Amino acid sequence: MTHPEHAGGDPHHRTGRFDTEDLHPGQRREQQLAEPRPRATKPRLALQMTVAALDAGVSTSWVTGDETYGQDPGLRAGLEAREVGYVLAVSCATKVRINQGRTAISADEAADRLPASAWYRQSAGPGAKGPRYYDWAWVHIGTGDHRHLLIRRNPTTSELAFYLCWSPQIVPLSELERVAGTRWCIEECFQAAKGQVGLDHYQVRKWTTWHRHVTQAMLALAFLAIAVQDARPTRPADPNRPARSRELVDLTVPEIRRLIGAPFSPVMSLRALLHWSNWRRSHQASARRSHYRR
């Protein structure tokens, strides 16, 4: 995925379940499925897609996901077998082993045992209203230095989130925080796909029809994401730029889609359309500066 605009991956993991192992041959022919497809859980599909991507030559260092994926030991074992690190969310009741694997306690109990000095505040990345600051701590679990329980605390509500982490090499806490903070990209990708290219706007019953719709939606989102990336000016990295810069907000997927679609429904002239776009992005930049300065 590119940052900060993203496009999705494999269409097999995009929506609900097309379970076909219980269909009789006539139904399978009607849905254009020659062979029955066994049920597969989301973690199993995720591992299959990851393995397929690695086998195709795609390189990746990390996988992250919510509790649906973090609670699955098969997914974690499969990633470790391929030497792909992970930062996967788990519930507070998840059992972890501390003291070099000798003591089993729950994740929330491990958090309760941490002294105040174990926590420190760090941004999980830029958000719509400024940096997303959280308090972070980690606990070494199992044996060796490759497994950790990462704990995130909301500084306002004190709500805790837990992540099981593994890496083939020893990494600092800041790296695990960075990976955990990238999960918002996944949520943003789904929102953009549904809101901008109609990923979930289908009324079909056949597998082939559904697959075509989802693939075309993802292709459209990839086109928009690439257009956004190409339109972004090259500038040095500066985490304080949103709070200080008076430049227009960079073009986004919704704005690119609006500009591309405008000529097909000419309500205003091209000059007026671009002026309106610049005015809107100027006000968005002003709102962003105000949020970041709070």
Side-chain angles (χ1 to χ4, degrees):
M1 292 186 180
T2 57
H3 176 78
E5 301 295 343
H6 321 279
D10 196 313
H12 293 87
H13 203 76
R14 286 294 151 231
T15 83
R17 305 166 50 155
F18 275 77
D19 299 331
T20 61
E21 62 179 358
D22 295 330
L23 299 180
H24 60 68
Q27 289 175 310
R28 290 202 297 272
R29 284 194 298 271
E30 180 185 356
Q31 296 193 19
Q32 303 173 9
L33 293 169
E35 298 294 335
R37 295 172 179 255
R39 290 182 176 89
T41 63
K42 287 185 176 181
R44 181 179 175 186
L45 288 172
L47 181 59
Q48 290 174 353
M49 289 189 295
T50 302
V51 170
L54 293 172
D55 291 342
V58 177
S59 61
T60 183
S61 300
W62 294 99
V63 167
T64 185
D66 59 24
E67 290 185 21
T68 301
Y69 303 93
Q71 299 291 149
D72 189 277
L75 172 60
R76 300 198 304 268
L79 294 175
E80 292 179 21
R82 297 300 298 259
E83 295 193 340
V84 176
Y86 57 77
V87 178
L88 299 172
V90 293
S91 71
C92 62
T94 300
K95 294 295 183 180
V96 296
R97 304 191 72 87
I98 61 174
N99 298 329
Q100 290 297 310
R102 293 188 294 269
T103 306
I105 60 174
S106 62
D108 54 357
E109 185 179 354
D112 291 340
R113 294 187 180 188
L114 291 173
S117 59
W119 298 88
Y120 85 103
R121 188 159 298 180
Q122 180 69 25
S123 171
K129 298 183 179 181
R132 297 175 292 128
Y133 284 109
Y134 293 97
D135 296 328
W136 300 88
W138 64 349
V139 178
H140 292 271
I141 59 177
T143 59
D145 298 319
H146 297 268
R147 297 184 188 279
H148 299 88
L149 174 67
L150 178 66
I151 308 170
R152 188 192 71 192
R153 183 175 65 191
N154 188 306
T156 303
T157 64
S158 297
E159 180 183 3
L160 298 177
F162 303 91
Y163 304 85
L164 286 182
C165 309
W166 179 87
S167 59
Q169 295 88 27
I170 298 176
V171 296
L173 173 59
S174 58
E175 177 66 3
L176 300 182
E177 295 168 3
R178 183 193 67 79
V179 177
T182 60
R183 258 198 58 211
W184 73 273
C185 302
I186 303 171
E187 305 302 330
E188 187 181 65
C189 178
F190 272 106
Q191 290 178 6
K194 293 177 180 180
Q196 301 302 321
V197 297
L199 177 68
D200 57 345
H201 297 177
Y202 60 86
Q203 296 181 1
V204 299
R205 296 180 60 191
K206 295 183 179 181
W207 167 267
T208 301
T209 312
W210 170 85
H211 196 277
R212 286 172 179 169
H213 171 86
V214 173
T215 302
Q216 289 173 356
M218 291 170 58
L219 180 62
L221 181 61
F223 170 81
L224 293 174
I226 294 171
V228 167
Q229 193 68 24
D230 288 345
R232 181 170 294 114
T234 302
R235 58 171 70 96
D238 180 7
N240 297 316
R241 191 186 70 84
R244 299 183 306 195
S245 174
R246 295 190 174 275
E247 297 177 357
L248 298 179
V249 167
D250 291 338
L251 286 168
T252 61
V253 163
E255 191 69 16
I256 288 285
R257 176 179 175 270
R258 190 181 295 112
L259 292 173
I260 291 176
F264 299 98
S265 55
V267 179
M268 61 178 70
S269 67
L270 180 61
R271 181 177 180 180
L273 175 68
L274 294 177
H275 176 77
W276 173 248
S277 175
N278 289 338
W279 179 89
R280 180 169 48 247
R281 291 164 58 204
S282 174
H283 279 258
Q284 289 172 343
S286 177
R288 183 180 63 181
R289 285 196 303 272
S290 298
H291 284 304
Y292 270 64
R293 288 173 178 173
R294 286 182 179 178

